[in-house]
Structures are given as C-alpha cells and as structure tokens.
C-alpha cells in the first residue's frame, strides 16, 4: 500500500509540472503578441514605461520555463527505464519515438497547407501545384520546412529521443557520472560562453570566440533531460525545503531583472533556453514541483486533465 501511495504522488506532481509547462509555453506566444520581444526593444522600453516593461520581463522569463520543464519531465520518465538489450531499444523507438514522429508529420502537413492556402504569402502565389506539393514533401522530410515557428521543438525532441537509449545504457550499465564531464563541456560552451558574449555585445564590447563547440558533443537541451533524471533521483535532496522556494523566487527575480535591464540595451536580447539563469531557475522550479506538486488536493483531477492534453495543446496553442 505504501508503494502505491508513493507512485500516485509521483504522478500527481508530474501532472502539475506538465500543466505549468504548457501554460508557460502558451504564455510565450501571448507575450509576443502583446509586446514586441524580438525587434525594437529599446524603443518600446522608452515608450511603454517601467511597469509595463517589468511585467513584460516577468512574463517573458516565465514563458521560457516551459520547455525546460517538459525536457526534465522526459528525463525523469525515460531515463529511469532500464534498457538491457537491443530489443529494449527497439521497443523504446517504437512506443516512444515513433508516435511523436507520426503526430508531428500529421501537423507538419496541416500547418503547411494552412500557411500556403489560408495565409498565402507572395512567395507561394507564383508556384505551380506540383511545386506546392514538392514543398509539402520537403516539409515532411525536414527540408526547407514551411511551418509555424513553434515547430522548432519537434526536431529537437526527436533528436534527443534518439539519444535516450545511449544515455540510459550509460546511466544504468556504468554510472551517470560518466556523462558529467561532457555535460560540463556543454554547459561551458552552450550556456556560460554564449551568455558572456551576449552581455559583452550589449555593453558594446567584442564577443569572445570559443572553439570547444557544444554541437560537437550533444545538444544543450540534453542538460535539461539529464537534469530531470538526476532531480527525480533526489539529486538535490540535501537542499533544505525551507531554502528551496526562496532560492527559486530569487533566481526567477534575478532573471526578470536581467531581462528588464536588457530591454534598455541595443541588440534586442531575449533570455532563452541557453541562458544560465533559465537553466538554474528551471532546475529549482522542477525540484519545487517534485517536492510539493502532490499537495493540490481536489485540484488533482484538473491537473491530470490538462496534463493528458498537454501535447495536443502544444500543437494548437499558436493557431
């Protein structure tokens, strides 16, 4: 009975985390439709006032926590599975990767014709029927894709899913510590150096070159995947609960302040998933949800309902 209760609690907090993540991602596109987050940030900062800019910064930071939460949930779930044989790997690809690929292909098809027929641009008007169908096929095969911008997530998650068996076998056959050194190299290249260079650019200084490119190892998004597994295995258990929530709020506040400050600088800098502060804040938030997410009482059914529909909400949240 004790084991059953523990499993139930685990899934409650995951439902809560998934719901928070999909709200965050939806918020991302809502913020970008109210304010200009990619162009003319300095001009808008001078025009709309401090309060609106601060609200814009806070919502922008929150809207960039959803993808890391989803990736950490994937790590917490998928990297726990033990893969002992090639058959286990095939089963994972068949039951985990293939459904994502098929669903994505359906939506690539829908989005392509939605953009070509219902929101036609000048570049499509002169194309023949054959050229339009060729464009559709190229989109389905990940070549010169014509889709909504939100679909960047699908190729990324498909590539990570291809690597899950590799990470999984290393973790369970050897040790998760084997992955820490390459993960540190990715952290340095993808997060630390890119953040230093963005700061130097905003300050009018020359950016630094760094030849140990993380793309030569594995994607920076893999850190969220591995981080989710480590946290689900109580990797931050030594951090007292009394300090966890304040640390999360402070981390979130510092991110908001940095984004607020960057609005006043030239260059239109937007905090993204490779910002070190987003990584830290996401980790702390995920740990908060892991520890306290099961305490939702009668709202459990609401979170479960939204959690089960999170993937569907992702596909339609921009439409």
């Amino acid at each position: 009975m004790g084991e059953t209760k523990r499993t139930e609690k685990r899934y409650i907090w995951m439902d809560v985390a998934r719901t928070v993540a999909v709200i965050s991602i939806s918020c991302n596109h809502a913020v970008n439709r109210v304010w200009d987050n990619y162009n003319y940030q300095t001009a808008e900062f001078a025009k709309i006032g401090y309060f609106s800019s601060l609200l814009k910064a806070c919502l922008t930071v929150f809207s960039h926590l959803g993808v890391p939460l989803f990736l950490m949930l994937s790590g917490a779930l998928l990297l726990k599975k033990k893969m002992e044989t090639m058959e286990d790997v095939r089963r994972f690809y068949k039951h985990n990767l293939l459904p994502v690929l098929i669903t994505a292909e359906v939506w690539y098809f829908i989005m392509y014709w939605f953009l070509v027929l219902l929101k036609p641009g000048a570049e499509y008007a002169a194309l023949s029927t054959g050229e339009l169908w060729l464009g559709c096929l190229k989109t389905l095969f990940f070549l010169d894709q014509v889709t909504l911008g939100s679909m960047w997530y699908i190729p990324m998650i498909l590539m990570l899913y291809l690597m899950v068996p590799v990470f999984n076998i290393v973790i369970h056959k050897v040790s998760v510590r084997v992955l820490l050194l390459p993960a540190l190299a990715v952290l340095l290249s993808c997060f630390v150096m890119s953040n230093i260079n963005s700061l130097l650019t905003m300050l009018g200084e020359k950016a630094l070159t760094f030849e140990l490119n993380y793309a030569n190892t594995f994607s920076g998004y893999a850190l969220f995947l591995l981080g989710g597994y480590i946290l689900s295995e109580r990797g931050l258990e030594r951090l007292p609960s009394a300090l966890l929530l304040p640390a999360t709020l402070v981390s979130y506040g510092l991110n908001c302040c940095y984004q607020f400050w960057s609005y006043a600088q030239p260059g239109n800098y937007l905090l993204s998933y490779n910002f070190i502060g987003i990584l830290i804040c996401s980790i702390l938030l995920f740990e908060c949800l892991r520890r306290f997410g099961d305490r939702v009482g009668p709202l459990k059914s609401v979170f479960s309902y939204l959690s089960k529909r999170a993937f569907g909400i992702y596909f339609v949240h921009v439409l």
Side-chain angles (χ1 to χ4, degrees):
M1 180 65 72
E3 182 64 29
T4 302
K5 185 176 181 181
R6 210 162 34 244
T7 303
E8 183 184 5
K9 284 187 176 183
R10 172 192 167 193
Y11 281 103
I12 294 172
W13 76 260
M14 286 187 173
D15 285 342
V16 174
R18 198 172 286 110
T19 301
V20 172
V22 79
I23 291 173
S24 166
I25 289 176
S26 299
C27 181
N28 180 277
H29 295 278
V31 168
N32 295 336
R33 279 154 178 74
V34 176
W35 292 287
D36 195 340
N37 240 341
Y38 295 97
N39 303 293
Y40 315 113
Q41 287 182 0
T42 305
E44 188 172 73
F45 180 80
K47 179 180 177 182
I48 65 177
Y50 287 159
F51 177 77
S52 292
S53 288
L54 182 59
L55 179 61
K56 173 185 172 184
C58 292
L59 291 173
T60 296
V61 171
F62 172 70
S63 74
H64 280 83
L65 299 177
V67 167
L69 286 178
F70 271 128
L71 293 175
M72 287 190 280
L73 280 167
S74 295
L77 288 168
L78 300 179
L79 296 183
K80 283 182 181 293
K81 295 182 178 182
K82 289 187 178 181
M83 297 187 188
E84 304 285 347
T85 65
M86 191 61 196
E87 184 58 36
D88 293 333
V89 176
R90 292 194 189 98
R91 189 180 301 112
F92 171 79
Y93 285 148
K94 179 179 179 181
H95 294 288
N96 293 90
L97 187 145
L98 187 59
V100 175
L101 176 60
I102 292 173
T103 306
E105 290 293 283
V106 171
W107 276 94
Y108 277 136
F109 184 87
I110 293 172
M111 286 185 180
Y112 176 85
W113 291 110
F114 169 78
L115 291 172
V116 168
L117 298 179
L118 299 182
K119 294 183 63 179
E123 66 271 28
Y124 306 123
L127 297 180
S128 66
T129 302
E131 289 172 324
L132 289 175
W133 275 104
L134 177 60
C136 181
L137 288 175
K138 289 170 71 177
T139 289
L140 296 178
F141 281 95
F142 302 93
L143 299 169
D144 296 332
Q145 287 191 326
V146 178
T147 65
L148 296 177
S150 60
M151 291 296 283
W152 70 269
Y153 181 84
I154 295 300
M156 179 271 291
I157 200 68
L158 289 173
M159 295 303 289
L160 280 183
Y161 271 37
L162 287 175
M163 291 300 297
V164 163
V166 178
F167 294 149
N168 204 304
I169 290 169
V170 170
I171 288 170
H172 294 289
K173 289 288 188 180
V174 190
S175 170
V176 70
R177 294 181 181 179
V178 174
L179 297 172
L180 294 184
L181 194 56
L184 180 62
V186 172
L187 176 68
L188 181 62
S189 174
C190 182
F191 290 84
V192 176
M193 288 304 303
S194 64
N195 295 167
I196 290 174
N197 280 332
S198 65
L199 178 59
L200 289 174
T201 300
M202 284 190 288
L203 294 175
E205 301 293 333
K206 183 181 177 181
L208 303 171
T209 60
F210 187 67
E211 302 305 328
L212 297 178
N213 196 306
Y214 69 93
N216 293 325
T217 48
F218 52 76
S219 164
Y221 293 107
L223 292 189
F224 294 111
L225 197 77
L226 295 172
Y229 169 77
I230 292 171
L231 291 174
S232 70
E233 293 291 295
R234 302 181 182 274
L236 274 184
E237 194 68 19
R238 293 183 180 181
L239 180 64
S241 294
L243 294 179
L244 179 59
L245 184 57
T248 305
L249 293 175
V250 168
S251 173
Y252 176 74
L254 290 174
N255 277 283
C256 293
C257 290
Y258 191 84
Q259 181 64 79
F260 177 80
W261 173 78
S262 69
Y263 283 145
Q265 313 306 316
N268 298 309
Y269 179 71
L270 187 68
L271 268 66
S272 192
Y273 309 116
N274 68 336
F275 185 66
I276 190 73
I278 293 293
L279 174 66
I280 294 170
C281 187
S282 300
I283 288 172
L284 292 172
L285 177 59
F286 188 84
E287 181 66 8
C288 280
L289 293 168
R290 186 190 71 80
R291 293 192 195 185
F292 311 122
D294 60 310
R295 304 177 186 179
V296 293
L299 293 178
K300 173 187 173 183
S301 58
V302 176
F303 285 109
S304 296
Y305 177 87
L306 290 173
S307 173
K308 292 174 184 177
R309 288 152 182 81
F311 198 43
I313 292 172
Y314 159 73
F315 281 115
V316 301
H317 76 285
V318 183
L319 295 178

